[in-house]
Amino acid sequence: MNGTAAAPRIISWNITLRCPLKCSHCYVDAGEKEAEGVLSYNEACSVIDQIRRTGTPVVVLSGGEPLMRDDLCSIARYGTERGLRMVLGTSGYLLDRAMAARLRESGIRAAAISLDSADPATHDALRGTPGAWEMVVAAIRNCRDEGLGVQINMTAVRPVAADVESVVALGRDLGVKDYQVFFPVPTGRAAKGGDLSPVAYENVIREVLLRYRDSDINLRPTCAPQFRRIADSLGIKNPQWGRGCIAGITYCRIYANGDVTPCPYLPVSAGNVRTTPFDKIWADSPVFAALRKPALLTGKCGRCEYQPVCGGCRARAWRGSNRVSPRWCDGLEKPATVTGELCAEDPWCPYEPGGAS
């Protein structure tokens, strides 16, 4: 990798910041009111045309809760007609059978549905809404009944492997084989979540990888790129995983107001689609160029033998050990320049290069 832009593989797009839930770990602090300057339908169509010039990536329509946009299916249909692979990232709270059918008809191929616990009370408490768990389970069934693919997205809010295993067991009963387990990054409302033990979470990653190494499910830890180091040390391979951190390399986020960032947890704007076409941002942004040059990594990440498969979490590196701002990822606060922090070592990784994992 020499800094040259490869085609993006996945783009996450916060098409709204409205949401009926009050999740304690929401990275954009979504709520009842819409953010100012959200891209209109016509602007969204223009952005889709710009994205198409880069290739045919997966475009994840997310939020907030994307189902709160009345034109969601129209946006999905436009992207589908332009040859993009359109999918949905949702809490499932508003996804009834009729909506699942509309999504399928609009070209949505799959829905990534958030399910944080197999225990209804725990999930509802995290989502700040009674009855949310039942709606999620119903949404998964609705999508499967309508022929939509389903992936379960779980946020591991505490370092307990049994929590992950119980969600996978429930998902299996519902016919789901694909899972992404997100490890907390203290952004948005999650910034108030307290200290997170890197060692405890590494143990969870190790236990989960071993538990499902010979399974028929596809499970990928997310926002914990060191999982690739742990997997390699255990002799576990999965060609679907890719690099640990793909922010700015094959993945990026489009914020509701048009800002393009390397990932949802990294608030460094690479440009805004209202002033610069997406394809130009993707190809020419200094932010993305820096992330595509492993030689720029410093500290432990710069000298780590697992750098090619891991890369460290760039969001945690930018944040540093003590940087705390509950608004840091809301798309409104942007640094004036790209600093060395973007390529600093990941403070959440306890591994010492050259040592034993």
Side-chain angles (χ1 to χ4, degrees):
M1 206 177 309
N2 58 10
T4 303
R9 292 180 55 202
I10 306 174
I11 298 169
S12 181
W13 187 350
N14 302 128
I15 62 172
T16 179
L17 293 191
R18 292 180 63 207
C19 184
L21 306 184
K22 301 176 179 63
C23 306
S24 60
H25 52 294
C26 179
Y27 66 80
V28 292
D29 199 9
E32 296 178 359
K33 295 183 179 180
E34 185 61 276
E36 293 184 7
V38 173
L39 298 174
S40 68
Y41 171 73
N42 288 335
E43 288 176 314
C45 291
S46 176
V47 172
I48 286 170
D49 290 337
Q50 297 163 22
I51 291 172
R52 184 63 180 85
R53 293 199 289 266
T54 70
T56 55
V58 173
V59 177
V60 185
L61 300 178
S62 182
E65 175 49 66
L67 292 171
M68 295 194 78
R69 272 196 72 146
D70 294 337
D71 56 2
L72 167 65
C73 289
S74 296
I75 294 172
R77 184 173 297 107
Y78 188 87
T80 299
E81 291 172 350
R82 295 301 180 274
L84 299 180
R85 292 170 288 173
M86 308 298 289
V87 301
L88 186 73
T90 175
S91 68
Y93 191 71
L94 302 174
L95 215 173
D96 59 17
R97 180 73 180 267
M99 177 54 71
R102 288 182 59 200
L103 291 171
R104 175 179 48 77
E105 291 166 1
S106 71
I108 290 287
R109 297 190 179 190
I113 302 177
S114 298
L115 178 62
D116 295 325
S117 177
D119 175 60
T122 300
H123 178 87
D124 290 358
L126 290 169
R127 296 284 161 176
T129 308
W133 186 90
E134 292 182 1
M135 302 293 280
V136 173
V137 172
I140 293 171
R141 291 193 174 108
N142 291 333
C143 287
R144 288 189 52 77
D145 288 346
E146 287 297 330
L148 289 175
V150 175
Q151 172 180 288
I152 287 179
N153 285 357
M154 174 193 179
T155 298
V157 293
R158 62 177 190 166
V160 179
D163 291 352
V164 178
E165 293 172 4
S166 62
V167 167
V168 172
L170 173 60
R172 272 182 151 162
D173 288 343
L174 295 169
V176 179
K177 290 190 174 183
D178 297 308
Y179 302 81
Q180 282 206 54
V181 181
F182 288 78
F183 290 83
V185 180
T187 65
R189 289 199 285 269
K192 305 173 184 177
D195 293 335
L196 303 170
S197 168
V199 173
Y201 275 104
E202 287 229 357
N203 290 336
V204 170
I205 294 170
R206 184 173 287 101
E207 287 184 50
V208 169
L209 290 176
L210 286 170
R211 171 69 176 81
Y212 299 108
R213 69 182 304 167
D214 299 317
S215 170
D216 61 345
I217 71 164
N218 178 38
L219 185 149
R220 186 188 194 280
T222 301
C223 300
Q226 64 267 42
F227 90 89
R228 286 298 317 273
R229 162 176 54 80
I230 298 169
D232 280 11
S233 71
L234 297 171
I236 299 174
K237 306 291 184 183
N238 186 330
Q240 298 184 58
W241 280 341
R243 191 174 186 263
C245 182
I246 57 176
I249 300 173
T250 56
Y251 171 71
C252 71
R253 181 269 296 265
I254 302 175
Y255 185 67
N257 69 350
D259 281 332
V260 180
T261 73
C263 85
Y265 305 95
L266 185 53
V268 181
S269 177
N272 189 290
V273 295
R274 282 194 166 113
T275 56
T276 307
F278 175 85
D279 50 314
K280 183 171 178 59
I281 294 172
W282 180 259
D284 300 336
S285 166
V287 171
F288 290 161
L291 293 170
R292 293 164 188 162
K293 295 179 180 177
L296 295 180
L297 293 176
T298 60
K300 290 193 299 183
C301 289
R303 62 180 186 272
C304 184
E305 65 271 29
Y306 290 100
Q307 181 196 102
V309 297
C310 174
C313 176
R314 295 301 93 213
R316 290 191 179 93
W318 191 89
R319 178 181 179 274
S321 299
N322 301 308
R323 190 185 214 144
V324 177
S325 171
R327 285 174 46 117
W328 78 308
C329 69
D330 66 3
L332 302 177
E333 297 180 4
K334 300 181 289 293
T337 60
V338 178
T339 70
E341 293 167 318
L342 192 66
C343 299
E345 69 178 45
D346 180 350
W348 208 56
C349 179
Y351 179 75
E352 289 295 334
S357 177

